[in-house]
Amino acid sequence: MKAKELLKKIYEEHNLEKEDLYIDKTRGFVVIKRTGIEKIQFQNNIKANFELIAYRDDGGCVIKCTATREEDYVETFSSATPKNCTNKFLVETCEKRCLGRAIMKLCRIYEQGEVFSSDEIENQPPNTLN
């Protein structure tokens, strides 16, 4: 399945709305925002557990997320540091990143490429992906 077909399927199956996506026409990818990630999570009855792996004096951290849906299971990690995060709530940002990665892995959204969660894109336009 091509990326456009996969995105259309995800969009329709999870009742996503235009506001749940960010389409970067210049760089050629689609971002599922936090609102879309949470819709996908709840509609698929996905449970997520988080574990703080590392915390630094500057607030930087690494979090592990274990996500399950029926018999499917994924683990993934995320990080947030003052160098890769523009807001001051690093732990919360790290958790959000980790959840997005876990949901997209569990639902096999990454397989075709060109579709990402909002916190995986470098050089994001300000205030467009939250």
Side-chain angles (χ1 to χ4, degrees):
M1 183 179 299
K2 298 203 181 246
K4 284 186 180 183
E5 294 168 355
L6 174 65
L7 183 60
K8 183 178 179 183
K9 180 179 176 188
I10 293 164
Y11 190 87
E12 291 171 354
E13 285 180 358
H14 298 95
N15 301 312
L16 298 183
E17 300 171 19
K18 188 176 181 179
E19 295 77 26
D20 296 321
L21 304 176
Y22 169 76
I23 300 169
D24 190 312
K25 294 177 183 173
T26 304
R27 296 181 281 176
F29 57 78
V30 175
V31 169
I32 301 175
K33 297 180 185 180
R34 181 189 49 79
T35 56
I37 292 293
E38 289 183 0
K39 286 178 183 178
I40 294 168
Q41 176 187 9
F42 294 119
Q43 290 175 17
N44 284 280
N45 197 30
I46 296 172
K47 307 293 184 227
N49 292 300
F50 301 93
E51 179 183 347
L52 182 63
I53 301 297
Y55 186 81
R56 300 183 340 192
D57 289 342
D58 67 358
C61 64
V62 175
I63 289 179
K64 176 175 117 176
C65 179
T66 303
T68 57
R69 176 181 59 185
E70 297 176 6
E71 316 217 332
D72 292 332
Y73 158 90
V74 297
E75 285 184 349
T76 191
F77 296 84
S78 69
S79 65
T81 69
K83 290 183 179 182
N84 70 10
C85 183
T86 57
N87 83 45
K88 62 183 176 180
F89 304 106
L90 297 177
V91 174
E92 293 84 349
T93 298
C94 191
E95 177 188 36
K96 184 174 117 180
R97 289 175 178 179
C98 212
L99 179 64
R101 291 178 50 78
I103 299 302
M104 292 183 66
K105 282 183 168 194
L106 197 57
C107 292
R108 304 177 73 131
I109 296 170
Y110 282 131
E111 289 182 3
Q112 299 298 317
E114 299 179 27
V115 180
F116 304 96
S117 66
S118 62
D119 296 294
E120 297 179 304
I121 306 304
E122 290 187 31
N123 303 316
Q124 301 173 25
N127 301 318
T128 58
L129 302 178
N130 294 324

